[in-house]
Amino acid sequence: MIKSLHARQHQLAQQERQVEWLSNGIFKENKLPTFQHKLEQSGQFPLHSGAIEIFQINIGYMCNQVCKHCHVDAGPDRKEIMTRETTQQCLDVMEHAKIKTLDITGGAPEMNPDFRWLVSEAHKRGVKEIIVRSNLTIFSANPKFNDLPEFFRQHGVRVCSSLPFYNADKTDRQRGEGVFSDSIKGLQMLNAVGYGKEGSGLILDLVYNPTGAFLPGDQKALERDFKKELKNHFDIDFNQLFTITNIPISRFLDFLIESGNYEGYMEKLVNAFNPAAVAGVMCKNTISIDWQGNMYDCDFNQMLGLKVEKKAGQHIREFSLASLQNREVVISQHCFACTAGSGSSCQGATV
Amino acid sequence: MESTYYNPEDLKKFGNIGEWEKNLAEKFFSYYGDVFKEGDLTAREKSLIALAVAHTIQCPYCIDAYTQDSLEKGATEKGMMEAVHVAAAIRSGATLVHGVMMMNKAKKISM
């Protein structure tokens, strides 16, 4: 298993160093236009958020996997975890502001000791949609997680899981040795309780992301391939496939730099800038909250330490729907990944 | 002239061919775009055909572009190599099948 950038005390474990990378070099030398410039050209700067529909809570960076492209730099060594007190604050705010969707992410969010409490509370309080971003291998990582599919079913959780490819070769190269076979087991466990099965009302979506420095292909075409291959080889059913573009931050940024692909990848993202994809980016309707209760425009900005603009209130205890709606989104060059081609968001392509 | 015939940067300038003959370039790029749209063949199948042809005509620009494109379309590395073998088989087969012509000729002129 590789180690996190934090464990290696790598320079890119520092958020400021990542932000520097994204602002200097090819962008500072004007070889490539900045994201702000491209937004200005298409009359979309400054970028403003809309109404908040999704609360995406990152309840901890601990994970049982260490994926090569992880934008969180998650891993078993990461100890940052949301306390019950902060989790409670999030729930109270959600209830008060009548937010429809709770999107729980990590790390492996199931590793937070208050994870089940959070899901149960949200369910009890009538949150319309609870999404858990589960890595699938967690179910078999420890016997105490074996019953998670059943727990998800009981609470009507929508499960959203990463699977970069429908074979072991590509999946394991990105996510670690043996991850594919454990992921298949995880998917079969979810299917066994009804997830992804027609008429069950239990939604299981998969997330595809490229296994290298290239863009995702057409979402519908890839979904068709995934459905066919997973059904034929493993008798697995799922609902939708979401394509997500790899964001040039954290471990993926490290890969790009180390493999000499950084400039080429950024150029590809910039050239693929699609003004029509901007309207559907996730910062438009999502607020991201970190384990300490700080608020960000998205999970990627969270990893870069770029909090929401100051006047909107930067901590959950300052939460105000009025101040956060129509806030100016904090941008940098990593945002090009969300607007390339068909666009990219936690709900897949945006156009 | 550059010191080498091929420069990877030139691939990005493909569109510049329109500077000297706009009308034909527009027609070509429009046709090109339509060719690669999904039809009876999927976009991935078309990309793999392009990759195989790229190796047959040994065009570095095309190999660069369609290696990337095949990966984006979800092709496996094994599948991509299989496509190159298809190209190689047809190329070598084309050479060998001409052996029949050689045999015909040799038989005709020999006692």
Side-chain angles (χ1 to χ4, degrees):
Chain A
M1 195 182 268
I2 60 164
K3 286 190 168 170
S4 72
L5 297 172
H6 268 79
R8 284 183 271 153
Q9 294 181 314
H10 192 287
Q11 55 153 334
L12 289 178
Q14 296 167 42
Q15 295 165 328
E16 312 76 48
R17 294 288 294 137
Q18 294 185 51
V19 175
E20 268 172 46
W21 258 100
L22 293 166
S23 313
N24 293 341
I26 37 177
F27 293 102
K28 202 167 190 178
E29 292 156 15
N30 290 323
K31 280 192 210 159
L32 287 177
T34 61
F35 190 66
Q36 178 175 331
H37 183 70
K38 292 298 272 188
L39 286 182
E40 281 167 348
Q41 273 183 337
S42 57
Q44 300 185 90
F45 182 81
L47 183 62
H48 285 286
S49 67
I52 297 174
E53 292 164 1
I54 303 171
F55 242 56
Q56 189 175 66
I57 310 185
N58 192 316
I59 60 173
Y61 302 157
M62 187 182 283
C63 190
N64 57 316
Q65 291 182 193
V66 190
C67 303
K68 275 188 193 157
H69 70 304
C70 182
H71 74 274
V72 179
D73 191 27
D77 61 294
R78 298 300 302 267
K79 308 296 180 208
E80 299 89 339
I81 223 128
M82 188 179 275
T83 60
R84 185 172 289 210
E85 190 192 352
T86 306
T87 314
Q88 177 88 52
Q89 274 181 319
C90 292
L91 280 165
D92 292 345
V93 164
M94 271 197 79
E95 193 173 13
H96 187 250
K98 297 187 174 59
I99 307 286
K100 286 187 214 145
T101 301
L102 169 64
D103 186 336
I104 308 171
T105 189
E110 300 93 333
M111 292 176 92
N112 179 315
D114 290 316
F115 169 74
R116 292 188 198 226
W117 176 80
L118 165 62
V119 172
S120 307
E121 272 298 303
H123 186 64
K124 221 186 290 172
R125 294 184 191 207
V127 173
K128 278 201 173 148
E129 186 177 49
I130 305 170
I131 301 170
V132 173
R133 297 194 179 267
S134 177
N135 69 15
L136 300 170
T137 64
I138 192 73
F139 306 154
S140 50
N142 186 307
K144 69 178 178 184
F145 298 126
N146 289 171
D147 67 330
L148 276 169
E150 178 56 23
F151 173 79
F152 290 159
R153 188 192 67 77
Q154 285 168 5
H155 295 84
V157 166
R158 181 174 182 146
V159 180
C160 192
S161 294
S162 282
L163 190 71
F165 212 68
Y166 46 74
N167 71 18
D169 178 35
K170 286 197 186 198
T171 303
D172 288 1
R173 265 190 275 157
Q174 182 173 80
R175 296 174 77 79
E177 196 66 35
V179 166
F180 182 74
S181 90
D182 285 346
S183 300
I184 291 299
K185 274 182 228 153
L187 288 170
Q188 287 166 336
M189 287 163 81
L190 287 164
N191 276 175
V193 298
Y195 273 97
K197 297 285 181 188
E198 216 176 315
S200 71
L202 297 167
I203 307 293
L204 167 60
D205 295 321
L206 294 183
V207 174
Y208 162 92
N209 64 281
T211 49
F214 52 92
L215 300 185
D218 178 68
Q219 184 165 279
K220 278 280 153 224
L222 284 165
E223 180 182 285
R224 191 178 55 208
D225 292 341
F226 268 67
K227 288 208 167 189
K228 186 173 142 232
E229 297 291 329
L230 291 176
K231 186 73 188 168
N232 288 350
H233 294 285
F234 309 103
D235 196 28
I236 285 168
D237 295 298
F238 67 95
N239 295 91
Q240 283 177 275
L241 180 84
F242 299 139
T243 54
I244 292 193
T245 305
N246 287 319
I247 309 288
I249 63 170
S250 195
R251 291 214 283 266
F252 189 66
L253 177 61
D254 178 43
F255 157 76
L256 289 174
I257 296 167
E258 288 299 314
S259 59
N261 279 304
Y262 174 70
E263 292 196 2
Y265 187 72
M266 294 310 291
E267 189 173 357
K268 202 163 174 57
L269 293 182
V270 173
N271 289 341
F273 175 77
N274 179 0
V278 177
V281 290
M282 56 194 144
C283 47
K284 286 276 183 182
N285 68 349
T286 303
I287 192 84
S288 156
I289 299 145
D290 76 6
W291 63 284
Q292 293 175 295
N294 297 308
M295 298 193 289
Y296 307 83
D297 295 302
C298 67
D299 204 47
F300 307 115
N301 277 9
Q302 179 181 140
M303 301 314 148
L304 293 173
L306 304 172
K307 292 180 195 167
V308 290
E309 63 168 347
K310 205 161 183 157
K311 67 178 180 193
Q314 296 181 319
H315 193 274
I316 192 74
R317 63 177 168 263
E318 305 166 79
F319 187 91
S320 150
L321 212 49
S323 318
L324 284 165
Q325 282 182 7
N326 211 34
R327 70 188 183 277
E328 187 178 331
V329 172
V330 179
I331 55 167
S332 183
Q333 281 44 265
H334 63 296
C335 302
F336 275 120
C338 289
T339 56
S342 301
S344 176
S345 77
C346 283
Q347 279 75 42
T350 65
V351 286
Chain B
M1 203 66 187
E2 302 290 332
S3 56
T4 56
Y5 284 110
Y6 286 115
N7 179 353
E9 291 301 307
D10 286 349
L11 176 57
K12 296 167 200 159
K13 300 175 193 162
F14 192 6
N16 295 359
I17 63 161
E19 286 174 16
W20 289 0
E21 222 307 335
K22 192 166 179 281
N23 182 38
L24 292 177
E26 279 174 358
K27 283 182 173 163
F28 167 75
F29 285 118
S30 162
Y31 163 77
Y32 194 106
D34 285 348
V35 164
F36 282 94
K37 279 183 188 158
E38 183 152 318
D40 278 9
L41 296 180
T42 65
R44 185 172 69 187
E45 286 164 342
K46 290 185 179 186
S47 188
L48 286 168
I49 292 171
L51 183 69
V53 174
H55 282 77
T56 305
I57 58 174
Q58 291 172 348
C59 165
Y61 301 123
C62 315
I63 292 172
D64 183 338
Y66 284 95
T67 299
Q68 176 111 10
D69 192 67
S70 294
L71 287 171
E72 289 183 357
K73 298 285 190 303
T76 60
E77 283 94 338
K78 184 172 180 293
M80 289 159 68
M81 188 58 85
E82 284 176 12
V84 174
H85 276 287
V86 170
I90 294 296
R91 264 208 113 131
S92 54
T95 302
L96 287 170
V97 77
H98 283 82
V100 179
M101 188 189 280
M102 169 191 75
M103 289 164 78
N104 290 344
K105 174 74 180 178
K107 282 176 188 167
K108 188 173 181 188
I109 62 174
S110 300
M111 283 188 286

